[in-house]
Amino acid sequence: MQAVVLREFGGPHNLRKESVPDPDPGAGEVLLKVRSCGVCFHDVINRRGDLPRTRVPAILGHEAAGEVIAVGPDVKGWSVGDRAATLQRLSCGECLYCRQGRRSLCKRETRFFGEEIPGGYAGFMTAPVTGLGRVPTSIDWPVAATTCCTTGTAVHVVRTRGKVRAGETVLITGASGGVGMQAIQLAKLDGARVIAVTSSGVKAEVLLEAGADDVIVSHDLEFASEVRRRTLGEGANVALEIVGSLTFAQTLRALAPGGRLVVVGNLKTASVDLNPGLVIVKELEILGAYATTRAELDEALRLVASGAVRPWVAEVLPLEDAAHAHDRLERRGVAGRLVLAPGH
Ligand SMILES: [Zn+2]
Ligand SMILES: [Zn+2]
């Protein structure tokens, strides 16, 4: 098959298409003909060598969708022709965390697509069925591929972790990315007021189009006082921190008393300065949000299929454009998701 193989960590040029042997599904796995695979900033971090569990040569991509074309031993409930999309990572389904519905915290089965499991930047991939969701026929492949990590993550961040309620003000940093555009829509759907922050003026329009009530264009990323001004001095009740270290301090300062900060992204993989005093006197809550559960993926697919939220696929590119896609993502030149479509 054709696949984009990362043979060395580093720049986008290290992503090259080549011919590699077709994979075979093992026990509990199916073989997918990959129809689309989203390009996520997580892949950029992975390509740079900043994720400890990836070994090169590697095939990246945890946002894959495709048809089941072969079924391995010991697989129940999946057959040839089924439409599937991957979760980001696996979970065991049996440990205490899994039984409590917090599968993102499972430590017994932690394999991630595109890290330990070869991912979707390829014509075919094998996938343990515990890591798959079922895609309705009404959802096309590029949308199916990106739903888990964009809409599904938004469900995890806005509902499961942020517990956003009607009437609350939600601040979203890095709002024009794949997760941000979905989080805006979901927070609006759930009755919140949304303030979106972007460092790029050209993205303001698309953020308003996605439903943001207010857009703050902040080139220097000093937006906390502007958030307070636009909330009559109160601040945001919930902040969804998609950018991470670069904006963290401002996001914390922009919160209202009792505010909840949900950290879901850290683009620079750097650490932050934190003034504990601020957290104490405002009784702030700082929450992490990681990956998507199967139940959240099902809900995300339902929201997309019903039209309640609109997916934002920026462009579909051939597999050989993987390096170009990474380059564009790193230059922040994309609103929504870029998707690779392996040709067959
Ligand atoms: Zn992703
Ligand atoms: Zn588990």
Side-chain angles (χ1 to χ4, degrees), residues 1 16 54 56 61 84 129 140 145 149 152 160 162 181 204 242 264 271 314 340:
M1 65 171 178
R16 292 198 199 99
T54 306
V56 286
V129 292
D140 67 15
C149 210
T160 309
M181 299 284 279
I242 298 176
V264 63
S271 45
L340 300 174

Side-chain angles (χ1 to χ4, degrees), residues 35-36 63-67 81-86 133-152 182 296-313 316 339:
R35 300 295 294 265
S36 284
E63 302 184 3
E67 290 151 334
D82 285 351
R83 293 161 55 91
T86 58
R134 287 177 194 281
V135 177
T137 48
S138 62
I139 299 181
D140 67 15
W141 292 115
V143 171
T146 58
T147 294
C148 179
C149 210
T150 60
T151 319
Q182 299 300 297
E296 288 163 343
L297 172 58
D298 290 346
E299 171 66 3
L301 289 164
R302 193 192 65 74
L303 286 165
V304 169
S306 71
V309 303
R310 174 183 157 192
W312 233 279
V313 171
V316 180
V339 171

Side-chain angles (χ1 to χ4, degrees), residues 22-26 29-32 34 86 113 117-119 124-128:
D22 289 355
D24 261 331
E29 296 180 344
V30 293
L31 180 64
L32 293 181
V34 181
T86 58
F113 287 104
I117 307 169
F124 303 95
M125 70 185 283
T126 55

Side-chain angles (χ1 to χ4, degrees), residues 38-43 61-63 88 112 145-146 148-150 153 179 337:
V39 180
C40 181
F41 207 88
H42 181 98
D43 304 349
H62 57 274
E63 302 184 3
Q88 295 104 333
F112 212 103
T146 58
C148 179
C149 210
T150 60
T153 300
V179 174
R337 265 293 192 278

Side-chain angles (χ1 to χ4, degrees), residues 6 14-15 19 46 68 122 125 153 190 228 235 241 245 258 273 304-305 311:
L6 180 73
N14 289 359
L15 294 168
S19 279
N46 201 3
V68 174
M125 70 185 283
T153 300
D190 291 351
R228 277 200 302 277
E241 182 53 88
S245 58
D273 273 338
V304 169

Side-chain angles (χ1 to χ4, degrees), residues 91-95 97-98 106-109:
S91 55
C92 78
E94 287 160 8
C95 72
Y97 293 120
C98 285
C106 179
K107 288 195 186 73
R108 279 200 211 162
E109 172 59 284

